[in-house]
Amino acid sequence: MITGKQIGQIVNALLSAFPTRADLAMLVAIELDAHLDAITTAPNLRADVFTLVQWALARNRLNELVAGARRQNPGNPLLKALPAWFEEGGMRQEDGAHGRGGDSYTVGTAVNSVVGPQGRVVNIYGGGDAAALAELRAALGELNIQVERLFEHIDQRSLQSVALIYRRIDALDRDLSAAIVELVQQDALTADELDRYLSVLRLALQEVHDHTALIADRQLAEGVDAARRLAEDPSLDAHHKLEVTIPIIPLLLDYKFETELGSRANLVTLWEALKAKVQGKPSRAV
């Protein structure tokens, strides 16, 4: 079974080799005899590439995609660095992997994806649709979120809802969020900072939840609501809660709500304080 890390390798290699949507569309047309617009209309190139990889994996065509990419851009170093078995038919989603039992749940497709009209059944410990589980691991892994540890505490439906909207974070905010999450995991924040930061996030998430009816983007609304529940979950400590809710801050700040969030100013201050922490600079009190 292909892992989230391996999917990340392929995504990064394709982004390096095909840096524009036109380049990617040409690859898909020539090597897969398909139309990129019929596969994905995601909001940015990284999301397009990820959805294309997911589409190919779901159809057992990921080896064709990798091999075709190498033919179209034979000199790209990241494509060259991919293991040879990536294009030898070894990357297939398993038809019901055997392993530890666990609850199964249904998840939807990725943002603007046409991988299929039906939700897919995933077993949280590896059974079911391996592609969907790999998607979850890859989305959270890019943010340094420790998936296996969270599986012990968090309802996987909620985790999946949050992971889907995290795919929409731009590259700069994704890298910054990953660095902040790492600080949380390294206990670089004091107990007082953890409590204060979490308090600001809870208030913002609750306010967005109270205005859910005004959010046209249903996937964002579901992801925010899942994050709100996680922030209030008594079974999670402050580290866990911040780990899975911090990456939602740039999404809340970027989204154009019909009415200005009352908590926006505090959310901006929190984001700036967290960025200062990463950069080792003094910051305003939150």
Side-chain angles (χ1 to χ4, degrees):
M1 181 182 75
I2 188 170
T3 67
K5 182 177 180 180
Q6 290 166 338
I7 287 177
Q9 285 181 271
I10 296 171
V11 168
N12 289 334
L14 290 173
L15 282 169
S16 170
F18 306 94
T20 70
R21 200 171 197 280
D23 292 332
L24 191 66
M26 188 178 300
L27 165 68
V28 172
I30 294 173
E31 297 294 344
L32 299 178
D33 194 25
H35 297 285
L36 184 62
D37 285 344
I39 296 171
T40 173
T41 56
N44 56 65
L45 186 63
R46 186 178 187 84
D48 275 329
V49 171
F50 174 77
T51 304
L52 172 61
V53 170
Q54 184 188 48
W55 175 90
L57 182 61
R59 288 158 176 74
N60 292 327
R61 300 187 67 186
L62 196 49
N63 57 311
E64 293 179 53
L65 175 59
V66 172
R70 282 174 164 159
R71 281 191 294 270
Q72 293 301 311
N73 193 339
N76 182 268
L78 293 187
L79 286 175
K80 286 181 176 181
L82 293 177
W85 66 267
F86 273 26
E87 61 175 276
E88 293 172 353
M91 297 181 295
R92 292 180 173 274
Q93 72 178 55
E94 298 179 358
D95 298 322
H98 299 290
R100 178 180 171 184
D103 295 333
S104 293
Y105 62 101
T106 301
V107 300
T109 56
V111 183
N112 293 327
S113 165
V114 291
V115 168
Q118 303 298 321
R120 291 162 296 168
V121 176
V122 177
N123 180 294
I124 66 174
Y125 295 113
D129 189 325
L133 188 58
E135 172 191 338
L136 173 61
R137 294 178 190 277
L140 297 178
E142 286 185 357
L143 294 163
N144 283 334
I145 296 175
Q146 298 176 3
V147 181
E148 299 304 331
R149 182 165 61 85
L150 291 175
F151 275 168
E152 300 173 5
H153 302 278
I154 295 178
D155 166 59
Q156 265 56 65
R157 294 178 190 270
S158 297
L159 200 56
Q160 179 69 22
S161 295
V162 173
L164 283 175
I165 63 172
Y166 286 168
R167 275 297 179 193
R168 301 160 66 167
I169 303 172
D170 67 31
L172 182 62
D173 284 335
R174 183 181 292 112
D175 290 344
L176 181 56
S177 295
I180 295 169
V181 167
E182 191 170 9
L183 284 181
V184 173
Q185 293 168 344
Q186 293 173 348
D187 293 323
L189 305 181
T190 66
D192 180 60
E193 286 174 327
L194 289 172
D195 289 341
R196 284 189 288 115
Y197 295 169
L198 190 55
S199 177
V200 171
L201 267 169
R202 281 173 172 158
L203 288 173
L205 291 169
Q206 184 60 51
E207 184 179 5
V208 175
H209 173 69
D210 292 341
H211 294 85
T212 296
L214 301 178
I215 302 177
D217 188 331
R218 302 318 303 163
Q219 187 177 68
L220 177 65
E222 291 174 7
V224 168
D225 188 55
R228 179 190 63 84
R229 294 195 304 271
L230 294 176
E232 299 293 344
D233 190 334
S235 71
L236 300 177
D237 62 22
H239 289 82
H240 282 111
K241 291 176 180 179
L242 281 175
E243 186 176 348
V244 294
T245 56
I246 280 174
I248 208 169
I249 297 175
L251 291 174
L252 295 180
L253 293 179
D254 288 343
Y255 188 76
K256 305 301 181 185
F257 292 95
E258 292 190 11
T259 57
E260 184 76 7
L261 292 178
S263 57
R264 179 180 173 80
N266 286 338
L267 205 57
V268 170
T269 301
L270 170 58
W271 189 237
E272 292 302 319
L274 290 170
K275 287 197 290 187
K277 282 281 185 183
V278 170
Q279 297 164 355
K281 300 178 181 178
S283 62
R284 292 172 54 192
V286 176

